[in-house]
Every structure is written in C-alpha cells, then in structure tokens.
Amino acid sequence: MTTATHAATYDDRNPATGEVIAQIPESSHDDVDRAVRAARAAFDGGKWSSMAASRRAKIINKMAALIAERANELMLTEVRDNGKAVATAKGEMGAIVDCFEFYAGAATKNYGETMPPPLPTYLANTVREPVGVVGAIIPWNFPLLLASWKVAPALAAGCTVVLKPAPSTPLTAIELGKIALEAGVPEGVLNVVTGSGREVGQWLVEHPLVDKIAFTGSTATGKLVAKTAAETLKRVTLELGGKSPSIVFDDANLDAAVAAAIYGIYYNAGQACEARSRVLVQKNVYDRFVADFTERAKNVRVGNPEDPQTQVGAITIPEQFEKIRSYCEIGKSEGARLLLGGERAQVEGANANGMFWSVTAYEADASARIAREEIFGPVVTFVPFADEAEAIAIANASEYGLSASVWSENIGRANRVARAIRSGTVAINTPYAVFPGVPFGGYKQSGYGRELGIETMRLYSETKSVLTYIGEKPLNPFGV
Ligand code: NAP
Ligand code: MG
C-alpha cells in the first residue's frame, strides 16, 4: 500500500461531539493518479484478475472473517466517525460480513454461456471477464456498508478498485484497505483515496485509466458523474437519492404498519436513501394511523450514539443538519401541519456541537416540497389517499423510484400495487427489504444498475464472445 505524499490534511470530526478524531490526507492529483496506476498495474499484471476464481473466493471469505473478528472495533469507529447509533452500526457489521460472503460465493459463479451454434461448424460461447479498474465513490451515511456493496462484487469479478469514501467518514474505508491486504488481496488491488468529491472524486471519474465508476450519492452529483464519465466512455452505475413511499391501506395490520413506518423513517436518523419519507394512508384509517404513529414515535430514543439504548444518533455533517433545519422552515412556510419534533433534539450530556435532530412528522399536501423532495433526515410527511388508484398515482408522482412499501392484508391488492409502482424495490408488509442476494437500485432518477444481486457481477464484468471453427475443411472466404 502506498500512502499519500501530499502534506495537506483536514480534520475528521465526531458529529455527536464536534471533537476532531483524525487527521485525514487531502489527496493530491498526483496521489489519485498513483492510486489509479497502482490499480491499473495490478489489473494488467493479472495476479488478481487471472487468479482461479475459487482462490479469489477464499480470499474474499477471509476478508469477511476478518471483518467479523473486528466487528466491535469497526462498529465503534463507524459510530464516532458518522454519529450513528451503535445498535445501527452493529446491524451493519453483520450485513457487511454477509455481503462479502455472498460475493465470495458469486466469484465462482460468474458463468458465461454457450450459444446454439450460429453455423453447424461453429462453437460459440461467452466468458465474463472483469471490467478492469473500478472507481468506487460512496457517501457518508453507511460508509463501510456501501463500500462493501461495491468492493465485494468488484473483487469477486476480478476487478481492481480505487475506493473514495466521503470526506466526513473515511475511517472504515481505510481499515477495509488494510483488511484486504491482511486477507491476501495482492498489493494494488484495493486502493483508498481520501479527500473531497469536487477534486479527488472528479479526478477519479476523469482518469483515462479507470474503466468503470460505481457511484452512490445524490442525484445531482450522479448526473455530473455520468456526464464526466461519458468523456472516456466509462461504464457507470449510479445508486442515487429517493423519496420512497409507504402505502398503508385500510385493511393493513395497522399496528405493524405504524411500527414499520416509524423505523422506516427514523432508522439511521433518516439518512438512508431508501428511507420511507412519505407515508400515504387511506383516508378512513388516516386519523387513527397518524395519532398512533405520533404517540409511539415519542418513544424513539434519540441520544448519545455510543449508548446501546440509543435508536437515533447524530446527523453526520453540518450541511445535512442545516438542510433538515431549512426543510422544516419550508414545511412551516408551506403551511404543513407539524405533528412532532421540527427542532434540534435536546440530548442529555451532549455539548453544543452535537448535531441531533428530533424525530419529526408533518401532514402535508402531496404537492408540498417537503412531501416531494429528499430531505435525508428524520422527517416524515403523511399524505391521505382515497383509493388504490390515487395511492399509486401519488406514489409514482416523483422523480425518484428507489423503494416503496405496501401494507395490506389483501395479498392480491398488495401485489397489484407493487407491480404498478415504478421503483427498484417494493416491500410488502415488512420493514426489512435490503439483503445480499436481492438486487437493490433505482428506477427513474434514483439511478441505474443494481447492487447486492447476483446480476451485479455482470456490472463488474465485460462479456467476451469466443467463436471457434470446428469444421474439417479450412475456410478461405476470398478463395485466394
Ligand atoms: P453526494 O454529495 O452526491 O456525495 C457522494 C460522494 O460523491 C461523496 O464521496 C462526495 O464527496 C463525492 N462527490 C461529490 N462531487 C463529486 C464529483 N463531482 N465527482 C465525483 N465524486 C463527487 O451525496 P451525499 O450527500 O454525500 O449522500 C447522500 C445522498 O446519497 C442522498 O441523496 C442519498 O439518497 C444517496 N444515497 C443513495 C443510496 C443508494 O443506494 N441509492 C445509498 C445511500 C445514499 P464530497 O462529500 O466531498 O462531496
Ligand atoms: Mg467524521
């Protein structure tokens, strides 16, 4: 592993306390170039890309084992870097191990195909080859988890990687780099560059020796990434923002639907791309649902992220805290009815630098900005609907299409609605819908490409067609 040469560093802070926890290199253009060249040389050298898939699988499994072994330490690092509740981070560590194990298994199953012979004297088959050098760019909300969603399939496919974490949460990505080396991933295969997106991220997307960009972040940055990557025709996958709805019908198990709706928005302080930030409720159960939600949401424990009892920790970056505050102002000016929260949360023992926001709920018109735009915080908006058709229309009246939930005991209706919704995931009667093996990604402006699936392996591969002539008579097309 080579390290940054550039002298500049910046402060990495714990958002729950404001304390500086690390000095992080602000990678220079030269650092990024060296990381890309290291990845290129490792790829072209073939040590990893041409290694037997079963051997790659063993090494990726070893990464999973090392992560499991260090789960407690990684979890605490994540909590201090990101501000999330330790209970949330603990769940992520399990999911990260599962992700590496899933793709270790997938490494040996990146099958090609054999076609029906195009001519009787031909054999035609495809092989899947690694796409090359991957630039992986991730946001700050699930730092190690989202890194694993990219690094695990990329490594499994035989690619080499330059990983750029978000500047506010780089610590677990750096640890992942060390874990890879310890597990036996050859030098140069996984590289980590830190620094800002505007510079370091942009250079990675521009670099002519990078073959693919796997990006998770906001829709606005995703569009910029796609535009920049087009200059060198890089392969691009984009996991972007969302304004995901929960649709609750009058025949739903309302008790379970309320519990899931509370979790669906306040989990990770609402800083989740798939957060169910719009809850559409059928009119005849609307008042009951909203009253129950508001009452029970008061029990959600916002507090010190390191306390195992805490369910909602700090907001990760000041810009995000400001964004949440400003959306609550917008809600007020739009005439939305505030049902809960709407202000900085008072957390016992926290100092003035701790960025905590209270669990917040509004009732608003479907056309209100707070009901349409991604807030990315613990802020939910309730919208009533009359019938199935109106529920579908409101759900789909969004530029996003990442996730949705449907709550109904009528399984025919639930599946009908699931089909009508334009989003990459639909969860029926459950708060949990993200698992390794189940593709995750967006429709519309929530991006393109899928993570977590077996199909994801294809997005880190190129298909090569191999045609073999097996006839006895030599071919001589020009008869020369
Ligand atoms: P962001 O501003 O788009 O940043 C994402 C990453 O891109 C960061 O590492 C960022 O670095 C970098 N970046 C910024 N400008 C860049 C450029 N010009 N070229 C290359 N990289 C650049 O997103 P965010 O605000 O950190 O994250 C929140 C967003 O991510 C939300 O919209 C959320 O919905 C989405 N998200 C989606 C998923 C999903 O799977 N669909 C999962 C989680 C989050 P800097 O921080 O220095 O700008
Ligand atoms: Mg930090």
Side-chain angles (χ1 to χ4, degrees), residues 69-366:
E69 213 175 284
R70 293 192 201 154
N72 275 332
E73 163 206 327
L74 289 166
M75 175 176 92
L76 273 182
T77 302
E78 199 80 301
V79 167
R80 290 179 185 148
D81 208 5
N82 165 284
K84 64 176 67 220
V86 71
T88 306
K90 192 173 178 186
E92 281 161 39
M93 294 307 139
I96 291 159
V97 172
D98 289 350
C99 179
F100 276 98
E101 287 178 346
F102 176 79
Y103 284 110
T108 52
K109 292 157 201 80
N110 201 15
Y111 303 131
E113 288 172 314
T114 303
M115 283 79 222
L119 291 169
T121 52
Y122 269 60
L123 183 64
N125 69 288
T126 59
V127 285
R128 299 214 181 274
E129 297 186 340
V131 73
V133 175
V134 173
I137 301 176
I138 56 167
W140 41 260
N141 57 336
F142 294 104
L144 189 57
L145 183 73
L146 296 180
S148 76
W149 288 12
K150 293 174 168 42
V151 170
L155 294 183
C159 297
T160 61
V161 181
V162 180
L163 170 64
K164 193 208 91 66
S168 51
T169 56
L171 298 180
T172 48
I174 296 169
E175 288 310 306
L176 188 65
K178 296 182 194 159
I179 285 170
L181 284 177
E182 198 182 326
V185 173
E187 286 270 345
V189 171
L190 175 59
N191 309 272
V192 183
V193 289
T194 52
S196 80
R198 213 167 13 88
E199 292 192 334
V200 176
Q202 178 79 18
W203 295 331
L204 201 50
V205 181
E206 286 169 357
H207 205 296
L209 297 181
V210 173
D211 298 291
K212 167 179 168 137
I213 293 291
F215 174 85
T216 297
S218 63
T219 295
T221 309
K223 288 179 186 175
L224 187 60
V225 164
K227 256 187 212 163
T228 308
E231 282 296 317
T232 42
L233 283 185
K234 290 182 176 60
R235 283 77 183 115
V236 176
T237 45
L238 301 172
E239 301 291 347
L240 309 176
K243 188 75 179 178
S244 297
S246 266
I247 304 172
V248 183
F249 287 98
D250 60 1
D251 62 357
N253 176 337
L254 289 185
D255 189 50
V258 166
I262 290 171
Y263 174 81
I265 183 60
Y266 301 133
Y267 162 73
N268 209 45
Q271 301 175 123
C273 52
E274 84 286 13
R276 301 303 194 269
S277 48
R278 303 187 278 156
V279 180
L280 319 183
V281 188
Q282 197 155 18
K283 275 180 182 149
N284 51 338
V285 292
Y286 180 84
D287 288 343
R288 217 170 101 206
F289 185 96
V290 170
D292 194 27
F293 181 106
T294 310
E295 201 44 46
R296 288 164 70 184
K298 287 178 189 149
N299 301 325
V300 173
R301 294 184 294 271
V302 182
N304 174 2
E306 293 185 42
D307 178 345
Q309 297 304 314
T310 293
Q311 293 168 316
V312 175
I315 302 303
T316 306
I317 56 171
E319 294 85 344
Q320 185 54 40
F321 190 82
E322 220 17 72
K323 186 172 173 191
I324 296 167
R325 187 207 302 278
S326 91
Y327 268 106
C328 289
E329 289 297 320
I330 291 168
K332 204 187 285 175
S333 70
E334 283 181 317
R337 189 158 77 95
L338 178 68
L339 301 165
L340 191 67
E343 59 190 6
R344 175 184 273 273
Q346 297 311 319
V347 165
E348 215 183 288
N351 66 30
N353 297 320
M355 297 184 287
F356 296 91
W357 198 260
S358 54
V359 299
T360 298
Y362 287 97
E363 179 178 74
D365 204 74

Side-chain angles (χ1 to χ4, degrees), residues 4-42:
T5 49
H6 198 54
T9 59
Y10 66 89
D11 292 344
D12 178 18
R13 290 176 190 276
N14 178 341
T17 61
E19 185 194 353
V20 175
I21 54 172
Q23 291 293 322
I24 305 295
E26 186 71 70
S27 303
S28 64
H29 195 277
D30 184 52
D31 291 328
V32 174
D33 186 54
R34 282 191 308 128
V36 171
R37 285 179 191 281
R40 186 80 250 167

